[in-house]
């Protein structure tokens, strides 16, 4: 388990630099964050997009049960929770024996995870764990390499961090300290099972409302809906903007959806209490009653 500076974005390059032994990475394209990973990996080798949900504006997770993975592929990469698009995987792809790499940034520690099924898991810590600027990387030891290409900076080698217990250079003490507090909180409060139950309960309150609403519609296919990020729309862009303005006036922040999706998005990370989701649903209900 490594603590590496540079936030989540640095991992797009580190994954490709460290794991592309044959120079071939397979990517599942499910939205904005997997597109960034793909663009970065292309600088270091060949990228094969083995599945994509671009045809429906990334509103679902494509079927990954029989992917066309070339024999020489080094890994299969997924963004396990697409923060902007609001999708998540409820079952992992069949990687046909290849290493599975997952960006868990916006779902890290939100539910139990069988780490043994992955070669590498990474998460920028700022969504669920601590202050921005750092990533936690969980990497299988056999993927740490001595034979990296010369162009790879020392800091960008996972082995550098592993060999030095994440203390190769001055660490981000503040972020690590805050993460430690959160780890202890989770351990003292029922662990990831308990966190998962809370997150399911929270998300259900919002999804149940959206499913019966005549004004608001969830933007994601039901079976792929994220427990963390909930994008939804009204029938028109103008009304979307009106709801965002009204929500702001009522004391709710950051409900505007990303420009690539439009509409609204409620991010209900670990730290959002159930009461916050209930208050949002009350607000949306009231808005709907007043605007029909
Ligand atoms: C936030 C996020 C990132 C990027 O994190 P930064 O620390 O801002 O670089 C990467 N992937 C996903 C899925 C994210 O949600």
């Amino acid at each position: 388990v490594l603590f590496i500076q540079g936030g989540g974005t640095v991992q797009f390059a580190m994954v490709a630099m460290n794991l592309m032994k044959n120079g071939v990475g397979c990517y599942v394209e499910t939205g904005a964050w997997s597109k960034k990973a793909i663009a970065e990996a292309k600088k270091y080798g060949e990228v094969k997009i083995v599945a994509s949900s671009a045809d429906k504006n990334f509103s679902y997770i494509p079927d990954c049960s029989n992917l066309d993975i070339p024999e020489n592929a080094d890994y299969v990469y997924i963004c396990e929770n697409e923060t902007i698009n609001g999708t998540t995987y409820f079952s992992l792809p069949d990687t046909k024996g290849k290493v599975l790499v997952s960006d868990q940034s916006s779902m890290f520690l939100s539910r139990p995870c069988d780490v043994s099924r992955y070669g590498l898991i990474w998460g920028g810590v700022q969504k669920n764990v601590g202050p921005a600027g750092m990533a936690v990387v969980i990497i299988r030891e056999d993927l740490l390499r001595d034979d990296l290409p010369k162009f790879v900076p020392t800091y960008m080698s996972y082995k550098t961090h592993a060999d030095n217990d994440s203390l190769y250079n001055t660490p981000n003490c503040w972020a690590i300290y805050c993460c430690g507090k959160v780890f202890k909180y989770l351990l003292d409060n029922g662990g990831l099972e308990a966190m998962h139950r809370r997150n399911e309960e929270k998300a259900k309150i919002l999804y149940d409302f959206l499913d019966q609403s005549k004004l608001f519609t969830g933007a994601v296919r039901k079976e792929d809906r994220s427990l963390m990020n909930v994008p939804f729309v009204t029938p028109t862009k103008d009304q979307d903007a009106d709801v965002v303005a009204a929500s702001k006036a009522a004391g709710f922040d950051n409900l505007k959806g990303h420009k690539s999706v439009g509409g609204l998005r409620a991010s209900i990370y670990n730290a959002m209490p159930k009461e916050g989701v209930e208050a949002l649903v009350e607000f949306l209900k009231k808005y709907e009653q007043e605007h029909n």
Side-chain angles (χ1 to χ4, degrees):
V1 177
L2 310 173
F3 294 79
I4 301 178
Q5 304 192 56
T9 297
V10 165
Q11 294 307 313
F12 297 138
M14 276 186 87
V15 163
M17 282 178 169
N18 283 263
L19 301 187
M20 277 184 167
K21 238 178 163 167
N22 299 326
V24 183
C26 292
Y27 283 73
V28 180
E29 184 191 44
T30 51
W33 290 111
S34 35
K35 278 162 85 171
K36 282 202 169 169
I38 288 164
E40 197 69 11
K42 279 182 177 165
K43 296 184 178 180
Y44 306 105
E46 187 191 335
V47 167
K48 278 200 181 307
I49 296 176
V50 288
S52 172
S53 52
D55 60 337
K56 289 184 183 158
N57 202 21
F58 303 117
S59 60
Y60 70 104
I61 297 289
D63 179 11
C64 295
S65 59
N66 187 20
L67 300 172
D68 186 12
I69 299 167
E71 199 40 55
N72 62 346
D74 292 303
Y75 58 85
V76 177
Y77 182 106
I78 59 171
C79 176
E80 206 166 331
N81 186 83
E82 277 281 1
T83 322
I84 289 171
N85 307 85
T87 56
T88 204
Y89 288 73
F90 288 99
S91 63
L92 292 174
D94 179 356
T95 64
K96 314 251 169 100
K98 302 298 182 197
V99 167
L100 178 63
V101 177
S102 176
D103 171 3
Q104 289 194 352
S105 294
S106 51
M107 61 177 287
F108 198 57
L109 303 186
S110 68
R111 67 187 195 200
C113 171
D114 180 0
V115 172
S116 70
R117 298 187 63 191
Y118 303 76
L120 189 155
I121 295 168
W122 67 267
V125 298
Q126 74 270 35
K127 312 286 171 26
N128 269 341
V129 200
M134 201 178 67
V136 175
V137 175
I138 306 171
I139 183 170
R140 228 167 59 193
E141 281 181 29
D142 63 286
L143 298 176
L144 300 169
R145 286 169 62 194
D146 277 321
D147 61 339
L148 289 178
K150 278 221 169 60
F151 72 82
V152 177
T154 309
Y155 194 83
M156 300 289 275
S157 153
Y158 288 125
K159 194 157 188 301
T160 299
H161 297 275
D163 286 349
N164 292 280
D165 294 328
S166 300
L167 295 166
Y168 175 72
N169 70 336
T170 315
N172 186 340
C173 308
W174 165 245
I176 293 171
Y177 172 78
C178 294
C179 289
K181 291 266 190 206
V182 173
F183 298 150
K184 286 188 188 115
Y185 170 86
L186 289 169
L187 288 168
D188 290 345
N189 287 277
L192 297 186
E193 282 83 9
M195 200 67 240
H196 187 206
R197 276 196 301 276
R198 280 174 55 182
N199 286 330
E200 281 184 320
E201 200 186 337
K202 273 156 49 185
K204 188 173 185 307
I205 295 168
L206 186 47
Y207 285 126
D208 281 353
F209 167 73
L210 294 174
D211 286 345
Q212 59 75 50
S213 170
K214 292 189 175 58
L215 181 64
F216 300 102
T217 316
V220 171
R221 185 169 73 177
K222 265 190 183 177
E223 53 271 44
D224 305 320
R225 297 197 291 205
S226 168
L227 298 181
M228 299 278 101
N229 312 100
V230 184
F232 54 99
V233 294
T234 70
T236 67
K237 283 199 165 82
D238 285 348
Q239 187 141 40
D240 289 344
D242 187 59
V243 181
V244 170
S247 71
K248 245 189 198 148
F252 297 92
D253 244 337
N254 272 317
L255 278 167
K256 192 172 189 294
H258 191 265
K259 59 181 182 299
S260 63
V261 181
L264 295 98
R265 175 177 51 149
S267 285
I268 48 175
Y269 293 118
N270 281 6
M272 171 59 72
K274 185 178 151 192
E275 292 72 21
V277 182
E278 287 170 341
L280 174 63
V281 167
E282 277 316 304
F283 164 80
L284 295 172
K285 255 187 204 154
K286 193 158 161 271
Y287 182 96
E288 182 167 351
Q289 278 161 9
E290 287 167 358
H291 292 79
N292 68 5

